Amino acid sequence: MALAGAVAGYAGTASATPQPSVSQVTAQVKQLTTRADQADQQYDQVNTQLTAANATLKQVNTEVANDQKQFKAARANVAQVAAAAYEDGNMTSMAALFTSASPQTVLNQASMLTQLDTSRYAEMSQFINAARQLASAQAQAKRTQAAIQALRNQAQAQAHSITSALNKKKALLATLTAPEQ
């Protein structure tokens, strides 16, 4: 029985890692505190960038709204042209294209629009341009939103990482006994 206790005691001490000294942990806490301060400064910079990105997003969203209005108005004009062309027998099956709310669908099938009579070319051109502007503005809005989210995620991850490491070192420092301090 005593031999088993001695073996267990020996195995326990062989696998134990030495406790760091108070001065080592204090130095680590100081270093992490400095890194946390730097992260705070970077976080403030990221917030400034986020403010600018949100302002850009607001402008882009305004542009998207305006482009959507132009696209809808142009679509209504083209739908009237299509109805007139259909009634005249000059059109086969473009109704779905003219009623599409998707600017990308219009762009993908824009060649069909050029088949209409050349006197209606201005309306068709305006419709295609409105679809291009809307598609471009929507893509820019998506890119801006993705950039904002990436900045936010990066700042949060960095702050969390440093705060977590700092808290662990502070907890370790608090567990050191008085003779170790």
Side-chain angles (χ1 to χ4, degrees):
M1 181 84 139
L3 180 61
V7 170
Y10 176 75
T13 57
S15 66
T17 57
Q19 280 277 5
S21 70
V22 172
S23 61
Q24 288 173 327
V25 176
T26 303
Q28 291 171 347
V29 167
K30 184 177 179 181
Q31 180 185 22
L32 286 171
T33 301
T34 300
R35 285 183 56 202
D37 291 343
Q38 290 170 345
D40 283 344
Q41 291 172 355
Q42 290 173 346
Y43 185 77
D44 290 342
Q45 290 172 349
V46 167
N47 277 336
T48 301
Q49 291 171 343
L50 284 173
T51 300
N54 281 322
T56 299
L57 181 59
K58 185 177 178 180
Q59 291 173 343
V60 168
N61 285 337
T62 299
E63 182 180 335
V64 166
N66 290 336
D67 289 345
Q68 283 176 330
K69 287 177 188 174
Q70 289 176 354
F71 178 74
K72 286 179 183 179
R75 186 176 67 193
N77 288 340
V78 170
Q80 289 175 352
V81 169
Y86 181 76
E87 289 172 4
D88 292 341
N90 294 335
M91 187 168 154
T92 57
S93 169
M94 291 192 190
L97 175 63
F98 297 126
T99 58
S100 173
S102 168
Q104 194 59 49
T105 301
V106 172
L107 293 175
N108 291 342
Q109 299 178 4
S111 64
M112 293 176 76
L113 297 177
T114 60
Q115 294 175 3
L116 291 176
D117 141 1
T118 56
S119 67
R120 303 294 185 180
Y121 181 75
E123 289 91 352
M124 298 308 119
S125 179
Q126 183 180 12
F127 182 52
I128 291 170
N129 287 336
R132 281 185 185 131
Q133 285 179 317
L134 180 56
S136 174
Q138 287 172 335
Q140 184 180 359
K142 285 181 183 178
R143 287 189 305 270
T144 303
Q145 288 170 338
I148 288 170
Q149 190 60 43
L151 280 172
R152 191 172 285 137
N153 290 346
Q154 179 185 3
Q156 287 174 345
Q158 185 178 18
H160 177 72
S161 173
I162 292 171
T163 301
S164 176
L166 181 59
N167 288 339
K168 285 179 184 177
K169 293 299 178 181
K170 284 181 177 179
L172 176 61
L173 186 59
T175 63
L176 295 177
T177 61
E180 293 172 326
Q181 293 183 5

